[in-house]
Amino acid sequence: MFGRIVVVAGLLFAPLPALAVETAPTEGQDYAAAKGWYEKAAAAGDATAMHKLGLLYEEGQGVAQDYAAARGWYEKAAAKGLAESMYNLGILDEFGRGVAQDYPAAKRWYDKAAAAGDADAMQKLGYFYDVGQGVPQDYATARGWYEKAAAGGSASAMNNLGVLYENGQGVKQDYATAKLWYEKAAAADNPDGMRGLGLLYGNGRGVTQDYATAKLWYDKAANAGSAFAMNDLGILYDNGQGVKQDYATAKLWYEKAAAEGNAQSMYNLGALYENGQGVKKDYGSAKLWYEKAADAGSPEGMSALGTLYAEGWGVTRDRSAAKLWYEKAAALGDTGAMQKIATLFEKGTGKAGAKR
């Protein structure tokens, strides 16, 4: 694979990340000079050079970032049959880079790239059917594409097959087969696969529950950059599972994960401060972390903010604010928040000014 924008997903985890753009050249790099030579090669009809020019414009290397120019070069290369450019055009459409976000258009490009043998495009098509993005959700079709992508070497597809078998989506639930796919993904250095193995051992799914082995896999995944695995390590230390309970170490792992944008870790940090575990009890700090978690989409963070307002912990007691936060969490499926709203109404405090 020579120069593409690879954005893949592990379905157990977070939404797809934004493109990481690195513009600082290493010693000896000269993007401007490279651009000049790519232009000469492109003028002579070289599709790879056209693709490389697209990458320079998409990533803003040696030129001002310009998605329209990137698209132009990718289209030229795609017209010559270059699968990598077809795939990157799909990325531009999927994430709305330089154009309005357009899943059907992205799928059309992924279809073209997949037909040209691109495993990453096959994985993308599997993901689209898996989550119902631009197409009706269809686990069986997702599985078919993942299998094609995995056969082509896509580690992300291997992980996602593990997820389907673990959850019984489009297939009979089969932890042993899930484990096999996670192992294949992990062997291909996929951090989601490593974490998937950790979760199987941590939860005792298809294997004897073994926190020590879970920790081993979480360590590997965290070292490979998985913020979710960092949070998992924090939970082990928080609960004393397979390790001596150590709130300070839990806090360190939660902070690492939170720095990577992990909403669950932000919530967990809030809980440490709310309960005074490994830190001095501090409702103000708890509120700040719960707000960060809520802003990152965590229903637990939203519900926790509701409780702070309902109880008047670190804030002026405000049942209206509590209800608002509980409703936000409930809208995301948090059943605990739903019960808390019911309690507010039961006590006659679900409506401003109501008395009991």
Side-chain angles (χ1 to χ4, degrees):
M1 181 170 62
F2 62 85
R4 70 174 74 205
I5 306 302
V6 178
V7 185
V8 295
L11 295 179
L12 280 173
F13 317 118
L16 294 172
L19 169 67
V21 177
E22 184 177 340
T23 58
T26 59
E27 185 177 356
Q29 274 186 314
D30 187 336
Y31 291 125
K35 176 176 174 285
W37 283 106
Y38 286 145
E39 287 173 337
K40 290 178 185 292
D46 188 279
T48 299
M50 297 172 188
H51 178 80
K52 292 287 191 178
L53 284 165
L55 285 171
L56 291 182
Y57 279 103
E58 182 166 4
E59 298 179 4
Q61 293 175 323
V63 293
Q65 190 175 52
D66 185 337
Y67 291 128
R71 175 175 288 275
W73 283 113
Y74 290 149
E75 287 175 341
K76 289 178 184 291
K80 288 183 169 289
L82 198 68
E84 285 83 355
S85 282
M86 299 172 193
Y87 174 87
N88 283 6
L89 284 163
I91 291 291
L92 293 181
D93 286 323
E94 181 182 352
F95 293 96
R97 294 175 182 157
V99 293
Q101 190 175 54
D102 188 337
Y103 294 132
K107 180 181 178 294
R108 287 192 292 273
W109 281 114
Y110 293 146
D111 280 328
K112 290 178 183 289
D118 189 281
D120 290 329
M122 296 172 192
Q123 190 280 142
K124 277 290 190 181
L125 289 168
Y127 178 75
F128 272 30
Y129 281 102
D130 201 337
V131 301
Q133 185 164 284
V135 293
Q137 189 175 53
D138 184 338
Y139 291 127
T141 301
R143 175 172 166 255
W145 279 114
Y146 287 151
E147 287 174 340
K148 290 178 185 290
S154 169
S156 182
M158 297 171 194
N159 172 72
N160 289 349
L161 281 165
V163 175
L164 291 184
Y165 279 100
E166 181 176 357
N167 296 332
Q169 296 168 319
V171 293
K172 182 178 178 181
Q173 190 173 53
D174 185 339
Y175 293 132
T177 302
K179 180 172 177 284
L180 288 174
W181 280 113
Y182 289 147
E183 287 171 340
K184 289 178 184 287
D189 296 325
N190 181 275
D192 292 341
M194 298 170 191
R195 184 193 179 227
L197 287 167
L199 289 171
L200 289 183
Y201 281 101
N203 294 311
R205 293 176 181 163
V207 294
T208 301
Q209 190 174 51
D210 184 340
Y211 290 124
T213 302
K215 180 178 180 295
L216 182 151
W217 283 111
Y218 294 153
D219 279 328
K220 289 180 182 289
N223 288 334
S226 170
F228 295 98
M230 297 172 195
N231 178 67
D232 295 327
L233 286 166
I235 291 171
L236 291 185
Y237 282 101
D238 200 337
N239 297 330
Q241 295 170 321
V243 292
K244 183 178 179 180
Q245 190 174 50
D246 185 338
Y247 291 126
T249 301
K251 178 173 175 283
L252 288 174
W253 279 114
Y254 290 151
E255 288 172 339
K256 288 178 183 287
E260 297 294 325
N262 184 271
Q264 188 63 44
S265 280
M266 297 171 191
Y267 166 78
N268 289 342
L269 283 164
L272 291 183
Y273 280 103
E274 180 181 343
N275 298 318
Q277 294 169 318
V279 292
K280 183 178 179 181
K281 182 178 284 195
D282 183 342
Y283 290 126
S285 292
K287 179 174 178 284
L288 287 175
W289 279 113
Y290 289 151
E291 287 172 338
K292 289 178 184 288
D295 287 343
S298 166
E300 294 90 351
M302 298 170 192
S303 183
L305 283 168
T307 298
L308 292 185
Y309 281 104
E311 301 297 335
W313 293 338
V315 294
T316 301
R317 194 174 192 181
D318 185 336
R319 296 300 179 88
S320 294
K323 179 173 173 286
L324 183 149
W325 281 113
Y326 288 150
E327 286 174 340
K328 288 179 181 288
L332 294 176
D334 189 305
T335 56
M338 296 173 193
Q339 293 183 47
K340 290 173 181 176
I341 296 171
T343 299
L344 289 179
F345 279 105
E346 184 181 2
K347 292 181 176 179
T349 53
K351 182 178 179 180
K355 297 183 179 179
R356 189 173 178 84

